[in-house]
């Protein structure tokens, strides 16, 4: 019997595993980097062990330190979660060699499936050895790892070498392994996967399908179970291939076999020898706790002969601290509040007041809705996200709501190219036009009042406040009267520091208002309170390239120096933030007038990275 589990991970998945351990009466141990010293997963565990440093390579990817931490804390089992070392066979062996229980598949099974190239060979699918024009478009993928890192779509043969180089660098940084491979890229395919579960007694479950077609940068955004619209014969084929993959490597524990479904057939992609981010939708539909089953299997218990039947439909949305309209740029800062309506499962590694840093993935939480039908589950999740209180950095919440309500998704006709086709319409600003007035009235109620009151015996000039909303400045005016606050064209039904009710056209609109410094949230609309007097700070010179987020300059283009000629779109440097590399390119043909940064330098958001002086036309 397992008594104490160390989770070799962080954030949401560590918190989720701890929850099941507590329910099972098992003690928990967390590991944390210096950046995560006050992170939620480190706070909720029964014990925590520091891994000195901030970079993943120095902390969460150091298997030797994690095994020492488990021994020091008295753990007798290790759960890897997902990502980091979860699919590292050497780490699994080190855990077992230390006399600890490994809550995962045998190291040999991990090894067989860890490399996507070897896994494809095992399943009889060969990657492309030589790419020609006829093969385009193709997809460059990291052989070890996932999450969209080390992955590039190549549509021109001339771009292949550069993209291979970039993918190798990103894969090496994220996984410690720079091996990549090339496969055909199917534009309109669906990403469908099968959850498998296997015990040590020869039983293998195919525990339903999931559809994960809505992806950004090849990383999943919305997932659901079961995958909609599959024929019975195609579903059976998926199950048979998934079970065959598991049996081929004598698999034990929870795993996922992923496929690309197009033209009525399923093409094997890879097997993830770990728990998936999207496992909650399978849990909801089948009424199981996959982590609890992992623990039982690790203790030697047998699965039932047949898996539990599916009931209803579940949909999961990944809430990211990112700006989809700005190239999915990760966002950082204080998360002041995160709540969703009752009836929605929220898996998160954050709580109110936590800081979102630059070192790790920008996923804040996963919201999951379960209902008797797909339509009901989708509607429930969209409504809950719309009403959620998410106060802090910019998130993808609006994108999620619009995606769930898009006709292509509601009719289950989506594919992996969904965001390529619809991103502009899904990210078009649509703020509430009454939000600035509600913010101003709430602020007026919160401000200290004179003991003589706020009204005058004679008419006076209106109060004026300015807000930035959806990239535009909005000026609002209101009056103090004997009966309270008033605004032209709108009846103020109620106003206090946290709640405002306005009536227009005979309809009352209710607003919840929260303020954190100059950041104001009015229902789902975010605003910035602007100063009374404009900021006269001198702007940067024309052609200045500023850091879109905090990060590290991991690479500067070879041969670049002040005075060098550059072309529009030419990569100048690479900025790494939240485990992704972002290319900073020349905005126009011209001359590199300034390059004040060097490789390895950490920069804050808005820092000057380069100045390109545009060539005279």
């Amino acid at each position: 019997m397992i008594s104490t589990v160390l989770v070799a991970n962080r954030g949401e998945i560590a918190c989720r595993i701890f929850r099941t351990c507590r329910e099972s009466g098992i003690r928990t141990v967390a590991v944390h980097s210096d950046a995560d010293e006050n992170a939620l997963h480190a706070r909720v565990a029964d014990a925590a062990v520091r891994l000195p440093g901030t970079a993943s390579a120095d902390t969460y990817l150091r298997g030797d330190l994690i095994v020492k931490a488990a021994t020091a804390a008295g753990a007798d089992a290790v759960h890897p979660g997902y990502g980091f070392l979860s699919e590292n066979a050497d780490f699994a062996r080190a855990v077992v060699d230390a006399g600890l229980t490994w809550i995962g598949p045998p190291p040999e099974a991990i090894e067989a499936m860890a490399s996507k190239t070897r896994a494809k060979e095992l399943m009889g699918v060969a990657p492309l050895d030589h790419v020609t024009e006829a093969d385009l478009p193709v997809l460059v993928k990291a052989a070890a790892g996932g999450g969209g890192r080390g992955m590039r779509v190549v549509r021109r043969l001339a771009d292949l070498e550069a993209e291979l180089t970039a993918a190798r660098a990103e894969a090496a940084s994220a996984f410690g392994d720079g091996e990549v491979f090339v496969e055909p890229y199917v534009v309109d395919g669906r990403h469908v996967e099968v959850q498998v579960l296997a015990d040590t007694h020869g039983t293998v479950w195919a525990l339903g399908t999931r559809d994960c077609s809505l992806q950004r940068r090849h990383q999943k955004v919305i997932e659901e179970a079961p995958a909609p619209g599959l024929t019975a014969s195609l579903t059976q084929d998926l199950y048979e291939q998934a079970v065959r993959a598991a049996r081929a490597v004598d698999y034990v524990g929870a795993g996922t076999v992923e496929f690309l479904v197009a033209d009525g057939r399923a093409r094997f992609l890879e097997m993830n020898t770990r728990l998936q981010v999207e496992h909650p939708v399978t849990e909801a539909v089948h009424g199981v706790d996959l982590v609890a089953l992992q623990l039982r299997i690790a203790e030697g218990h047998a699965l039932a002969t047949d898996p539990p039947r599916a009931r209803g439909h579940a949909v999961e949305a990944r809430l990211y601290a990112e700006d989809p309209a700005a190239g999915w740029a990760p966002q950082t800062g204080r998360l002041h509040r995160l709540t969703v309506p009752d009836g929605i499962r929220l898996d998160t590694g954050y709580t109110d007041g936590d800081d979102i840093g630059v070192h790790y993935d920008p996923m804040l939480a996963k919201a999951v809705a379960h209902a008797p039908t797909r339509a009901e589950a989708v509607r429930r999740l969209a409504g809950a996200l719309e009403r959620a209180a998410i106060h802090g950095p910019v998130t993808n919440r609006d994108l999620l709501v619009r995606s769930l309500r898009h006709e292509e998704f509601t009719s289950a006709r989506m594919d992996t190219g969904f965001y390529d086709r619809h991103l502009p319409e899904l990210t078009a600003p649509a703020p509430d036009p009454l939000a600035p007035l509600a913010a101003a009235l709430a602020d007026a109620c919160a401000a200290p009042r004179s003991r003589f009151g706020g009204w005058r015996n004679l008419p006076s000039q209106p109060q004026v406040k300015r807000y930035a909303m959806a990239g535009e400045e909005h000026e609002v005016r209101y009056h103090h009267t004997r009966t309270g606050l008033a605004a032209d064209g709108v009846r103020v039904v109620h106003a206090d520091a946290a709640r405002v009710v306005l009536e227009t056209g005979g309809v009352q609109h209710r607003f919840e208002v929260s303020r954190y410094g100059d950041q104001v949230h009015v229902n789902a609309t975010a605003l910035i309170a602007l100063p009374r007097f404009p900021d006269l700070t001198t702007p940067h010179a024309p052609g200045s390239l500023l850091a879109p987020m905090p990060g590290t300059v991991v690479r500067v283009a070879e041969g670049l120096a002040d005075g060098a000629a550059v072309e529009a779109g030419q990569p100048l440097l690479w900025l790494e933030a939240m485990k992704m590399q972002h290319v900073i390119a020349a905005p126009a043909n011209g001359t590199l007038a300034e390059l004040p940064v060097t490789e390895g330098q950490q920069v804050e958001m808005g820092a000057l990275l380069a100045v390109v002086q545009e060539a005279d036309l």
Side-chain angles (χ1 to χ4, degrees), residues 55-120:
S56 297
D58 300 327
T59 54
Y60 297 110
L61 290 174
R62 285 287 301 275
D64 57 333
L65 296 182
I66 292 173
V67 171
K68 287 180 182 178
T71 303
D76 56 358
V78 172
H79 193 304
Y82 54 69
F84 294 129
L85 294 171
S86 62
E87 295 179 280
N88 187 302
D90 290 338
F91 176 58
R93 286 195 185 94
V95 170
V96 174
D97 291 344
L100 305 171
T101 297
W102 169 250
I103 304 173
E108 295 76 17
I110 297 175
E111 209 158 46
M113 288 293 184
S115 170
K116 295 178 176 64
T117 53
R118 290 191 289 275
K120 286 178 177 293

Side-chain angles (χ1 to χ4, degrees), residues 501-521:
V501 181
L502 303 176
E503 182 179 301
T504 61
V507 179
Q508 290 188 5
H509 304 270
R510 291 169 172 78
F511 302 93
E512 300 293 329
V513 183
S514 300
R515 180 163 183 166
Y516 312 91
D518 62 356
Q519 188 179 101
V520 187
H521 292 267

Side-chain angles (χ1 to χ4, degrees), residues 393-598:
V394 174
T395 72
N396 66 335
R397 184 254 298 277
D398 290 347
L399 174 90
L400 295 175
V401 173
R402 295 179 185 182
S403 299
L404 290 164
R405 289 174 173 166
H406 194 281
E407 189 273 336
E408 199 169 295
F409 183 81
T410 57
S411 61
R413 294 186 294 107
M414 65 286 179
D415 56 52
T416 54
F418 179 83
Y419 287 122
D420 291 336
R421 295 190 299 273
H422 301 300
L423 189 60
E425 67 190 86
L426 294 172
T427 56
D432 191 321
L434 290 175
L437 177 58
L441 296 176
D443 188 51
C445 294
R449 299 291 299 276
S450 165
R451 64 188 181 91
F452 298 109
W455 61 274
R456 298 184 181 184
N457 194 37
L458 298 173
S460 64
Q461 294 294 317
Q463 300 293 312
V464 179
K465 290 188 181 296
R466 297 162 47 245
Y467 295 90
M469 181 175 71
E472 297 182 356
E473 182 178 322
H474 294 260
E475 184 177 275
V476 294
R477 297 169 180 266
Y478 63 91
H479 299 268
H480 286 284
T481 71
R482 295 185 181 186
T483 57
L485 296 168
D488 293 340
V490 177
R491 186 169 81 89
V492 181
V493 179
H494 173 85
D496 60 39
R499 191 171 68 92
V500 174
V501 181
L502 303 176
E503 182 179 301
T504 61
V507 179
Q508 290 188 5
H509 304 270
R510 291 169 172 78
F511 302 93
E512 300 293 329
V513 183
S514 300
R515 180 163 183 166
Y516 312 91
D518 62 356
Q519 188 179 101
V520 187
H521 292 267
V522 180
N523 292 350
T525 299
L527 308 94
I528 299 294
L530 298 176
R532 184 176 180 184
F533 301 103
D535 184 2
L536 301 178
T537 302
T538 303
H540 287 283
S544 296
L545 302 178
L546 308 181
M549 68 207 74
T552 302
V553 178
V554 294
R555 182 180 164 202
V556 176
E558 188 175 351
L560 272 189
D562 291 358
V566 296
E567 297 179 355
Q570 176 183 338
L572 304 179
L573 55 92
W574 285 258
L575 186 68
E576 183 169 279
M578 295 181 173
K579 299 166 69 174
M580 299 291 288
Q581 290 191 7
H582 307 267
V583 178
I584 307 299
N589 295 338
T591 302
L592 183 65
E594 191 174 348
L595 185 65
V597 296
T598 58

Side-chain angles (χ1 to χ4, degrees), residues 142-167:
R149 292 175 288 278
M151 191 178 295
R152 299 286 193 281
V153 177
V154 180
R155 303 181 188 279
R156 299 192 314 156
L157 203 57
D159 298 334
L160 181 60
E161 282 305 316
E163 295 293 9
L164 284 168
T165 300

Side-chain angles (χ1 to χ4, degrees), residues 90-407:
D90 290 338
F91 176 58
R93 286 195 185 94
V95 170
V96 174
D97 291 344
L100 305 171
T101 297
W102 169 250
I103 304 173
E108 295 76 17
I110 297 175
E111 209 158 46
M113 288 293 184
S115 170
K116 295 178 176 64
T117 53
R118 290 191 289 275
K120 286 178 177 293
E121 291 170 1
L122 189 66
M123 295 295 288
V125 182
L128 292 172
D129 292 327
H130 178 68
V131 179
T132 67
E133 287 283 353
D135 297 317
L136 298 175
V138 295
L139 187 64
V140 178
K141 296 177 71 174
R149 292 175 288 278
M151 191 178 295
R152 299 286 193 281
V153 177
V154 180
R155 303 181 188 279
R156 299 192 314 156
L157 203 57
D159 298 334
L160 181 60
E161 282 305 316
E163 295 293 9
L164 284 168
T165 300
R168 289 189 187 105
E170 191 168 273
S173 174
F175 315 116
D177 184 343
E179 182 188 353
V180 299
F181 66 96
V182 180
E183 66 182 12
Y185 179 59
V186 180
V187 179
D188 57 353
R190 287 176 58 188
H191 188 120
V192 176
E193 58 192 32
V194 177
Q195 175 72 57
V196 295
L197 208 66
D199 62 20
T200 56
H201 304 274
T203 299
V204 179
W205 283 358
L207 197 61
T209 59
R210 296 189 289 253
D211 189 295
C212 310
S213 297
L214 264 62
Q215 303 177 5
R216 58 95 164 113
R217 288 181 168 175
H218 312 289
Q219 194 166 27
K220 301 160 189 173
V221 177
I222 295 176
E223 306 103 339
E224 59 183 303
L230 303 182
T231 65
S233 60
L234 180 55
T235 300
Q236 186 61 32
D237 179 46
L238 289 164
Y239 286 172
E240 290 175 358
Q241 287 196 58
V243 170
R244 179 161 60 89
R247 292 196 182 281
V249 294
D250 296 324
Y251 199 80
V252 174
T256 296
V257 185
E258 301 194 347
F259 301 89
L260 186 66
V261 173
D263 304 323
R265 54 187 286 255
R267 300 170 174 84
F268 173 81
L269 288 176
E270 61 184 299
M271 183 177 187
N272 290 315
T273 54
R274 54 171 169 80
L275 201 64
Q276 290 281 85
V277 178
E278 59 272 17
H279 74 273
V281 292
T282 296
E283 292 182 323
V285 168
H286 290 272
V288 298
D289 182 330
L290 287 174
V291 174
L293 288 171
Q294 285 183 298
L295 295 169
R296 286 182 55 79
I297 290 170
E299 290 178 331
H301 296 284
L303 294 170
T305 304
D306 297 312
R309 299 184 63 179
R311 294 186 177 182
H313 202 94
V315 186
E316 172 183 287
R318 301 189 192 186
L319 183 68
Y320 287 98
E322 66 182 10
D323 187 351
W328 310 96
Q331 305 292 299
T332 60
R334 179 67 53 86
L335 180 65
H336 299 288
R337 189 179 178 199
L338 175 60
T339 60
V340 297
D342 292 340
I344 298 297
R345 171 174 169 174
L346 188 73
D347 285 11
T348 181
Y350 292 93
T351 190
D352 295 358
D354 285 351
D355 290 321
I356 303 164
V358 303
H359 300 286
Y360 310 111
D361 188 273
M363 188 175 75
L364 298 180
K366 304 178 307 193
V368 185
H370 180 232
T373 67
R374 181 179 189 269
E376 290 172 293
V378 171
R379 182 178 63 187
R380 180 174 296 177
L381 183 57
L385 286 170
E386 187 175 49
R387 294 190 299 276
I390 308 168
H391 300 168
V394 174
T395 72
N396 66 335
R397 184 254 298 277
D398 290 347
L399 174 90
L400 295 175
V401 173
R402 295 179 185 182
S403 299
L404 290 164
R405 289 174 173 166
H406 194 281
E407 189 273 336

